[in-house]
């Protein structure tokens, strides 16, 4: 019996329906690339350039380095424990404190569902723009479209992981084509003499921050575009051979996306002055890039449709991750066991899918309604920034968890990937540093307030979960006592 199969039996127990293993190395690579690409680079290029000027590529490079360091810790942990639940499972294995495990699970779940809900609103907006439907921002038309889209995502998720990953392949190829289009337009502009690469080495911060702290602030923005690799570990129980496939596929996926981000940011600055990239009145940053490099190309017409595919991919992957996270934690008795139920024919965690979809509906209603006003739209942006803040905290915990697990002697340990000894320490320090207030502007400091409210809600839910599971634990103890009496 393989180590993966043994871990699966430990998770589900005898007689339980297991998740279906259909994700091979190629599908895993496209899953990781699609999740990292998401919508981050489409939305953040102008904002990053606004923090550091023409050297917009530098924060993306630093973010790539920090993400890769943490990815090594994830790779060792997912090959040690090839089960669903990701960061929450690793925290549970390292510390064994249900309260800490629950907060990590809650934080990662919030990041996924919030991202998916925001993506649903963006999908409705792109659909409205692409087909000129005339829906008002924050109106009923956008709300109904966003809810219908999330219902479709839930249906694909329930249908099966094979169907979900195949849909991810199509969506990833489309969003990848949009970024490659920008890079090729940049190369074409070079041959026409329309690019000014002298701008890409010019550092210019609009604030009084030093170069180091300006790049730090820009990196905290760019890091949001690099997250996503961590979602894939929640799919470990649906991979055909996670111990073999994860190391090569995750590092390859990070490398591909890192190169694309750096090339896109260099192209953007070389073709469009930074002042224009950061001016919302002149349109979306990457649309300006195409207009400058290929003025006869109808990118403003095509972009809404590329955007639809990009945000659809983000929503699908994040809802896959969130449902598998709850499934995995339910099987560790950190969440109610009912969330670990697997549909017998579809072999998908149907109760977790229903629960995460219901939560996303509530968030979609909030996001769509809030986007109708400038104050509300600002709150939505802060919510996205808070998601990145919380994930940086989770990454720091994951790195520390690996350090703790390594110091614990084990009698039985199957072969697994081993990260360089120093990297978990470097990852913990860098992620904690980027989560600090010095890495955020004055407007972004409110992220800590929102994070506090989210964690407070998580503590309340933990108390309710503990009370729910107390009866289950008591029954298990009672059965064990009866068995001992029979001996």
């Amino acid at each position: 019996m393989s180590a993966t199969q043994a871990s699966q039996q430990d998770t589900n127990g005898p007689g339980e329906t297991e998740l279906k293993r259909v994700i091979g190395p190629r599908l895993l690579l496209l899953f990781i690339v699609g999740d990292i690409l998401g919508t981050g680079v489409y939305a953040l290029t102008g904002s990053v350039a606004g923090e550091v000027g023409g050297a917009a590529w530098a924060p993306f490079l630093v973010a790539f380095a920090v993400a890769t360091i943490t990815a090594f810790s994830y790779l060792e942990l997912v090959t040690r424990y090839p089960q669903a639940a990701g960061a929450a499972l690793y925290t549970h294995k390292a510390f064994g404190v249900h309260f800490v495990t629950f907060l990590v699970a809650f934080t990662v779940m919030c990041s996924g569902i919030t991202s998916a809900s925001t993506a649903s609103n963006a999908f409705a907006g792109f659909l409205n723009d692409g087909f000129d439907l005339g829906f008002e921002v924050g109106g009923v038309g956008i709300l109904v479209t966003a809810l219908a889209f999330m219902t479709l995502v839930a249906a694909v998720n329930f249908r099966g992981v094979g169907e979900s990953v195949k849909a991810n392949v199509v969506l990833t190829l489309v969003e990848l084509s949009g970024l490659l289009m920008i890079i090729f337009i940049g190369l074409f502009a070079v041959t026409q003499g329309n690019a000014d690469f002298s701008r890409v080495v010019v550092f210019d911060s609009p604030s009084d921050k030093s170069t180091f702290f300006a790049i730090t602030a820009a990196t905290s923005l760019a890091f949001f575009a690099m997250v996503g690799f961590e979602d894939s570990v929640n799919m470990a129980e649906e991979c055909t051979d996670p111990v073999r496939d994860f190391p090569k596929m995750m590092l390859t996926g990070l490398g591909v996306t890192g190169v694309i981000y750096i090339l896109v940011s260099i192209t953007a600055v070389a073709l469009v002055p930074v002042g224009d990239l950061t001016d919302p009145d002149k349109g979306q940053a990457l649309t300006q890039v195409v207009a400058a490099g290929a003025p006869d190309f109808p990118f403003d017409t095509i972009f809404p449709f590329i955007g639809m595919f990009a945000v659809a991919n983000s929503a699908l992957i994040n809802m896959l991750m969130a449902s598998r996270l709850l499934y995995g934690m339910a099987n560790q008795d950190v969440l109610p066991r009912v969330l670990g139920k697997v549909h017998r024919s579809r072999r998908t965690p149907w109760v977790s899918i229903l629960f995460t979809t219901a939560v996303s509906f509530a968030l979609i209603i909030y996001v769509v309604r809030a986007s109708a006003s400038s104050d509300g739209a600002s709150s939505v942006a802060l919510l996205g920034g808070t998601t990145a803040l919380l994930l940086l905290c989770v990454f720091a915990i994951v790195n520390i968890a690996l350090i703790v697990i390594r110091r614990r002697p084990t009698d039985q340990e199957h072969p697994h990937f081993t990260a360089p000894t120093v990297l978990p320490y470097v990852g913990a320090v860098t992620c904690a540093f980027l989560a600090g207030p010095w890495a955020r502007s004055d407007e972004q400091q409110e992220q800590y307030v929102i994070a506090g409210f989210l964690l407070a809600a998580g503590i309340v839910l933990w108390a309710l979960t503990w009370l729910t599971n107390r009866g289950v634990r008591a029954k298990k103890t009672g059965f064990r006592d009866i068995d001992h009496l029979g001996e």
Side-chain angles (χ1 to χ4, degrees):
M1 179 184 296
S2 70
T4 300
Q5 290 172 327
S7 298
Q8 180 70 37
Q9 284 194 359
D10 291 342
T11 303
N12 286 322
E16 293 285 341
T17 303
E18 298 178 357
L19 298 179
K20 190 174 183 179
R21 294 185 178 275
V22 298
I23 304 178
R26 294 178 182 176
L27 289 179
L28 180 60
L29 175 61
L30 285 170
F31 184 97
I32 293 169
V33 170
D35 199 5
I36 297 174
L37 287 180
T39 56
V41 71
Y42 285 94
L44 292 175
T45 303
S47 300
V48 172
E51 290 286 340
V52 295
W57 54 270
F60 282 108
L61 180 60
V62 176
F64 165 73
V66 174
T68 302
I69 290 170
T70 298
F72 273 95
S73 294
Y74 269 93
L75 287 175
E76 179 165 338
L77 289 165
V78 74
T79 52
R80 280 177 181 262
Y81 312 110
Q83 302 166 19
L89 174 65
Y90 312 146
T91 303
H92 194 57
K93 294 289 186 181
F95 307 110
V97 180
H98 278 222
F99 175 69
V100 176
T101 303
F102 182 91
L103 285 184
V104 170
F106 179 78
T107 299
V108 177
M109 184 194 74
C110 283
S111 73
I113 297 179
T114 300
S115 178
S117 302
T118 306
S120 297
N121 177 50
F123 177 88
F126 281 129
L127 186 71
N128 184 37
D129 294 341
F131 291 101
D132 196 19
L133 299 177
F135 294 150
E136 293 183 3
V137 176
V140 175
I142 294 290
L143 177 60
V144 171
T145 303
L147 291 174
F149 169 70
M150 183 54 69
T151 302
L152 177 62
V153 168
V156 174
N157 194 353
F158 172 75
R159 173 71 180 171
V161 70
E163 289 79 359
S164 299
V165 175
K166 288 174 185 175
N168 166 68
V169 169
V170 176
L171 298 173
T172 296
L173 293 176
V174 173
E175 66 179 335
L176 182 59
S177 68
L179 297 175
L180 292 178
M181 183 189 307
I182 292 168
I183 294 171
F184 287 134
I185 286 173
L187 294 174
F188 174 76
V190 171
T191 64
Q192 302 300 306
N194 296 329
D196 182 4
F197 284 98
S198 66
R199 289 197 290 253
V200 304
V201 294
V202 175
F203 175 84
D204 181 23
S205 176
S207 64
D208 295 330
K209 292 181 179 179
S210 65
T211 301
F212 176 76
F213 283 106
I215 291 180
T216 297
T219 299
S220 68
L221 282 173
F223 195 79
F224 183 71
M226 287 305 307
V227 298
F229 65 89
E230 79 284 353
D231 288 344
S232 61
V233 299
N234 291 283
M235 311 300 293
E237 290 186 33
E238 288 156 298
C239 292
T240 54
D241 194 339
V243 176
R244 180 197 66 191
D245 295 339
F246 261 99
K248 185 181 294 184
M249 295 304 107
M250 184 179 288
L251 294 177
T252 301
L254 276 165
V256 168
T257 52
V259 170
I260 288 174
Y261 282 173
I262 292 170
L263 290 177
V264 167
S265 59
I266 290 175
T267 301
V269 174
L271 292 181
V272 181
V274 173
D276 292 343
L277 285 175
T278 58
D279 187 351
D281 294 332
K282 294 194 175 182
Q284 206 270 348
L286 297 188
T287 302
Q288 293 185 56
V289 173
V290 176
D296 297 328
F297 193 79
F299 192 69
D300 56 340
T301 303
I302 297 174
F303 182 76
F305 296 97
I306 295 177
M308 268 192 285
F309 281 96
V311 298
N313 205 26
S314 293
L316 176 60
I317 290 175
N318 278 285
M319 294 306 288
L320 279 167
M321 178 276 294
S323 59
R324 271 59 178 183
L325 170 63
L326 297 189
Y327 158 83
M329 285 295 91
N331 284 327
Q332 296 289 331
D333 283 333
V334 175
L335 295 176
R337 293 285 296 184
V338 67
L339 291 170
K341 286 187 175 294
V342 176
H343 196 272
R344 289 195 176 275
S345 60
R346 302 314 314 167
R347 293 174 67 182
T348 51
W350 65 276
V351 178
S352 289
I353 291 172
L354 289 176
F355 180 82
T356 51
T357 302
V359 175
S360 71
F361 277 7
L363 279 173
I364 287 170
I365 293 171
Y366 165 74
V367 169
V368 171
R369 292 303 188 190
S371 63
S373 67
S374 58
D375 290 341
S378 176
S379 298
V380 173
L382 278 171
L383 195 61
T386 304
T387 299
L389 167 65
L390 291 174
L391 280 178
L392 280 166
C393 295
V394 169
F395 289 172
I397 292 172
V398 167
N399 282 295
I400 295 171
L402 177 56
I403 295 170
V404 172
I405 289 171
R406 280 179 169 180
R407 293 179 175 178
R408 185 178 302 152
T410 91
D411 295 330
Q412 296 179 344
E413 189 173 274
H414 62 266
H416 58 76
F417 176 87
T418 302
T421 304
V422 72
L423 288 190
Y425 297 91
V426 177
V429 171
T430 53
C431 290
F433 178 80
L434 288 175
W438 44 80
R440 280 156 186 79
S441 64
D442 293 338
E443 295 78 13
Q444 295 172 324
Q445 297 300 316
E446 194 175 342
Q447 291 175 7
Y448 295 98
V449 177
I450 298 174
F453 280 116
L454 285 174
L455 291 178
I459 291 171
V460 172
L461 288 175
W462 169 80
L464 294 175
T465 302
W466 185 84
L467 291 172
T468 300
N469 281 353
R470 184 172 62 174
V472 175
R473 289 193 296 269
K475 287 181 180 179
K476 287 183 176 179
T477 303
F479 287 143
R480 283 197 296 268
D481 291 343
I482 290 173
D483 289 341
H484 286 315
L485 288 173
E487 296 172 358

